[in-house]
Amino acid sequence: MVDDYKHQSNTHFCAQLCWVMDLLESNLEAKSKFYKDPKSCSVFMINNLRYIVQKAKNSELGLILGDDWIHNHTAKIHRFHVSYQRSSWSEVVGFFKVK
């Protein structure tokens, strides 16, 4: 009976923690919109998400959130990185276009 209560308590705690992390990510995405330049927006998100993922990996937070959460957020960082590269290189490629 006590073990069931601990499991339910842990599950509830994990759900609450995931909700807080989603809220944090939503706030970061909203703040990234203050940057008008897409490159700056991408760098902002890369920097902040990378910090969060590193802290999660190196603490109990990573155990609570799980490997899937870490993997999904690492993939998000990669997508922002690709977005940054595309927006940066599009200017360079545009410079070399022959008119």
Side-chain angles (χ1 to χ4, degrees):
M1 186 78 152
V2 174
D3 288 336
D4 288 340
Y5 178 74
K6 283 183 180 180
H7 179 67
Q8 288 174 344
S9 177
N10 283 344
T11 303
H12 182 70
F13 177 71
C14 291
Q16 291 290 323
L17 189 57
C18 287
W19 177 76
V20 168
M21 296 303 288
D22 287 342
L23 190 60
L24 173 62
E25 189 176 341
S26 295
N27 285 341
L28 287 173
E29 287 175 2
K31 288 184 184 217
S32 74
K33 303 299 180 210
F34 289 127
Y35 295 101
K36 302 298 181 204
D37 182 26
K39 294 182 297 260
S40 299
C41 177
S42 294
V43 169
F44 177 83
M45 290 302 293
I46 291 167
N47 184 44
N48 285 286
L49 288 176
R50 189 166 184 268
Y51 178 81
I52 291 169
V53 169
Q54 279 186 313
K55 289 298 180 179
K57 278 184 181 179
N58 298 327
S59 68
E60 286 184 45
L61 182 60
L63 297 174
I64 295 168
L65 294 171
D67 290 336
D68 287 341
W69 186 93
I70 292 172
H71 177 74
N72 290 339
H73 282 76
T74 302
K76 282 184 183 183
I77 294 168
H78 180 72
R79 286 192 298 269
F80 280 112
H81 188 258
V82 168
S83 175
Y84 170 76
Q85 286 178 326
R86 285 184 179 151
S87 60
S88 296
W89 280 101
S90 66
E91 292 178 13
V92 174
V93 170
F95 178 76
F96 288 113
K97 284 187 179 178
V98 177
K99 293 185 179 186

